[in-house]
């Protein structure tokens, strides 16, 4: 009879998701890659673990770092046969941000995306009196807004 | 219906070279824009365009099947192999001219890309779905800026009118269809660009009227970029900048 050693049996898909939920987004480290919604699928193809990843913005420079961070994290957990697949369709949308991620973002000072196209309130003082400064912010996924009550500028995570 | 691979590759090069050449031109503003917010906006626009280029040229390379990569196509081709429209290779000029060109192209992309989302080529449809989201906020910003500067001060208005008069003769090329476009339309891969002209004129006419700018009445159009027959002298100069590293140190990587 073949003997199976416990620590060489492959990690469950649920376990992989759990590990990936500990990998921080390189640009907004308070949310995980799972919160960001870029991990589209985790599955085994034979004994190879296949993780499908979608880019946020097509030119986002973090895409390469994200792939590297996924690979590093899973290898550290003992995953040896790993394949990362780029999944372009359906295109990433901010609808895929988790509720946990939205809350963490707000706490961190970044207004989470809203279907109305602008932030609901200032992440600093909570005022609803806010105005847009620029459609582009510190990263491709953010716009710059300002609170007209406390006058603090802040990042707004664009809704796409 | 099967499509001629060479024709499909030409179509994809046109898409990818447009975003590559404009992306590079816009990146030339990095560190030079009039204010920080505009600098960041231009750099981010360039990033989106270069990202779209990786997708279009990556697909072109796959269709060509010669084992090349998107990088090979971007950095190892010479002027005569580029298929971008002439509008996009022109030097930036001042900030107003850069944003006018951006608007004239963004308006075109914002009409073309949603059509391409229904392409019979699944990869074309996927790239278009991604890129059209970006084109939608690009055109929102470039249209706003064109209106702000056109309907602005006496000087900004004069500069925007001059930019429009300089760039307008390059607009027609985007709609000058040929046998490649006919093949794409027949295969359901992409619409014939000539069929997009009315919608384009309506959109551009509305924004330019709001900007208090007059569209030149002369219908002359410079051509040759997207067919590859001829480019302006400016593209070669641009490529010496863009490609020098791979030319000086072939195969070098980061
Ligand atoms: Zn506030």
């Amino acid at each position: 009879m073949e003997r199976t050693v416990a620590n060489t049996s492959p990690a469950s898909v649920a376990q992989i998701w759990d590990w990936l939920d500990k990998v921080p987004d390189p640009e907004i480290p308070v949310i995980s890659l799972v919160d960001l919604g870029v991990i589209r699928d985790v599955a085994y193809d034979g004994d190879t673990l296949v993780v499908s990843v979608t880019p946020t913005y097509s030119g986002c420079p973090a895409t390469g770092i994200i792939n590297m961070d996924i690979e590093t994290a899973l290898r550290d957990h003992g995953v040896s046969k790993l394949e990362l697949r780029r999944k372009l369709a359906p295109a990433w949308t901010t609808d895929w941000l988790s509720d946990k991620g939205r809350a963490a973002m707000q706490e961190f000072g970044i207004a989470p995306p809203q279907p109305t196209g602008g932030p609901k309130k200032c992440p600093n003082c909570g005022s609803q009196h806010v105005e847009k400064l620029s459609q582009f912010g510190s990263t491709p996924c953010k716009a710059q807004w300002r609170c007209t009550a406390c006058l603090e500028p802040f990042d707004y995570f664009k809704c796409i | 219906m099967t499509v001629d691979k060479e024709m499909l590759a030409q179509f994809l090069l046109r898409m990818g070279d447009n975003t590559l050449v404009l992306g590079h031109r816009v990146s030339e503003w990095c560190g030079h824009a009039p204010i920080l917010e505009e600098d960041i906006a231009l750099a981010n626009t360039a990033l989106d365009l270069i990202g779209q280029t990786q997708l279009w040229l990556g697909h072109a390379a796959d269709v060509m099947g010669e084992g090349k990569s998107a990088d090979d196509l971007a950095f190892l081709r010479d002027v005569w192999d580029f298929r971008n429209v002439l509008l996009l290779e022109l030097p930036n000029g001042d900030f107003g001219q850069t944003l006018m060109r951006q608007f004239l192209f963004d308006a075109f992309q914002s009409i073309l890309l949603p059509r391409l989302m229904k392409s019979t080529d699944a990869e074309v449809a996927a790239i278009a779905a991604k890129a059209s989201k970006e084109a939608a906020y690009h055109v929102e910003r470039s249209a706003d800026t064109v209106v702000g500067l056109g309907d602005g001060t006496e000087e900004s208005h004069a500069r925007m009118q001059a930019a429009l008069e300089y760039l307008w003769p390059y607009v027609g090329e985007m709609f000058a269809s040929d046998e490649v476009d006919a093949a794409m339309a027949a295969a359901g891969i992409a619409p014939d660009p000539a069929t997009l002209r009315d919608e384009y004129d309506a959109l551009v006419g509305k924004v330019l009227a709001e900007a208090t700018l007059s569209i030149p009445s002369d219908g002359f159009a410079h051509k040759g970029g997207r067919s590859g027959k001829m480019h302006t002298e400016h593209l070669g100069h641009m490529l010496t900048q863009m490609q020098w590293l791979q030319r000086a140190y072939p195969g070098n990587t980061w």
Side-chain angles (χ1 to χ4, degrees):
Chain A
M1 193 179 111
E2 217 174 52
R3 275 189 356 168
T4 318
V5 183
N7 63 6
T8 59
S9 68
S12 70
V13 165
Q15 176 67 71
I16 302 288
W17 276 105
D18 205 43
W19 285 336
L20 290 173
D21 198 24
K22 303 280 185 306
V23 182
D25 170 63
E27 285 175 341
I28 309 170
V30 294
I31 68 169
S32 78
L33 295 181
V34 174
D35 289 328
L36 187 62
V38 294
I39 314 281
R40 300 317 302 157
D41 193 35
V42 173
Y44 280 97
D45 184 358
D47 57 354
T48 302
L49 178 68
V50 181
V51 177
S52 302
V53 187
T54 196
T56 51
Y57 285 74
S58 53
C60 184
T63 307
I65 314 279
I66 285 174
N67 283 344
M68 215 167 68
D69 288 351
I70 293 172
E71 184 156 359
T72 307
L74 294 180
R75 297 241 184 263
D76 284 353
H77 283 293
V79 175
S80 54
K81 288 194 173 175
L82 173 66
E83 189 190 324
L84 295 183
R85 273 188 205 155
R86 186 187 72 187
K87 192 170 188 300
L88 213 51
W92 179 79
T93 155
T94 38
D95 295 349
W96 294 345
L97 282 171
S98 72
D99 289 342
K100 162 167 86 75
R102 283 167 201 264
M105 209 182 268
Q106 173 91 24
E107 182 68 22
F108 187 59
I110 300 170
Q114 302 293 339
T116 51
K120 210 190 254 171
K121 57 181 183 184
C122 164
N124 184 47
C125 75
S127 164
Q128 295 187 353
H129 300 280
V130 292
E131 63 180 10
K132 183 165 82 177
L133 289 179
S134 171
Q135 216 167 16
F136 294 86
S138 54
T139 63
C141 55
K142 286 177 261 161
Q144 285 179 70
W145 283 65
R146 174 169 56 195
C147 173
T148 54
C150 73
L151 301 182
E152 278 296 316
F154 63 89
D155 273 332
Y156 164 63
F157 204 97
K158 280 192 287 229
C159 186
I160 71 161
Chain B
M1 166 165 188
T2 56
V3 66
D4 184 90
K5 269 178 124 183
E6 268 177 48
M7 294 269 197
L8 177 57
Q10 284 297 311
F11 166 74
L12 295 167
L13 288 176
R14 289 171 177 185
M15 294 302 297
D17 287 346
N18 276 350
T19 51
L20 172 61
V21 170
L22 183 60
H24 186 82
R25 278 296 186 212
V26 175
S27 80
E28 291 172 359
W29 273 101
C30 192
H32 300 276
I35 54 168
L36 185 60
E37 283 77 8
E38 293 306 329
D39 205 281
I40 291 171
L42 285 165
N44 274 308
T45 304
L47 265 180
D48 285 341
L49 292 168
I50 299 300
Q52 293 167 17
T53 303
Q54 284 174 331
L55 301 174
W56 290 123
L57 292 187
H59 190 26
D62 286 345
V63 168
M64 291 161 126
E66 297 161 10
K68 287 185 179 147
S69 68
D71 278 345
D72 292 335
L73 292 178
F75 295 116
L76 302 177
R77 281 179 304 151
D78 221 323
V79 173
W80 46 82
D81 289 326
F82 273 73
R83 294 293 179 265
N84 58 285
V85 291
L86 302 177
L87 171 73
L88 307 177
E89 68 195 44
L90 299 174
N92 288 332
D94 62 17
F95 179 75
Q97 185 179 313
T98 298
L99 265 295
M100 177 61 81
R101 178 186 57 196
Q102 187 71 38
F103 169 64
L104 295 172
F105 179 68
D106 289 344
F108 178 73
Q109 293 289 84
S110 75
I111 293 167
L112 172 64
L113 291 169
R115 301 283 212 298
L116 292 182
M117 287 166 66
K118 294 167 215 137
S119 175
T120 51
D121 182 305
E123 184 73 4
V124 168
I127 298 170
K130 190 94 205 132
S132 73
K133 290 184 176 213
E134 295 161 0
Y137 67 78
H138 289 173
V139 73
E140 193 184 320
R141 170 175 175 274
S142 57
D144 275 359
T145 315
V146 163
V147 171
L149 291 172
D151 188 18
T153 65
E154 202 177 315
E155 180 173 359
S156 73
H157 174 84
R159 286 189 184 217
M160 292 309 271
Q161 185 61 43
L164 180 58
E165 277 163 30
Y166 176 61
L167 296 172
W168 191 254
Y170 294 92
V171 165
E173 188 187 6
M174 294 191 283
F175 305 94
S177 45
D178 60 9
E179 71 282 359
V180 173
D181 300 299
M184 293 309 108
I189 290 173
D192 181 332
T195 63
L196 308 177
R197 184 77 207 232
D198 287 347
E199 197 178 330
Y200 180 85
D201 284 342
L203 170 60
V204 168
K206 185 173 145 279
V207 171
L208 293 179
E210 208 185 319
T212 69
L213 298 169
S214 333
I215 296 175
S217 49
D218 187 354
F220 172 77
H222 294 286
K223 293 188 186 86
R226 75 194 294 272
S227 65
K229 285 199 181 72
M230 65 140 234
H231 281 278
T232 67
E233 65 179 296
H234 308 295
L235 182 61
H237 291 282
M238 196 198 95
L239 294 187
T240 58
Q241 281 288 322
M242 192 181 88
Q243 298 180 331
W244 78 269
L245 198 140
Q246 281 303 322
R247 299 285 182 184
Y249 305 100
N252 211 354
T253 55
W254 289 108

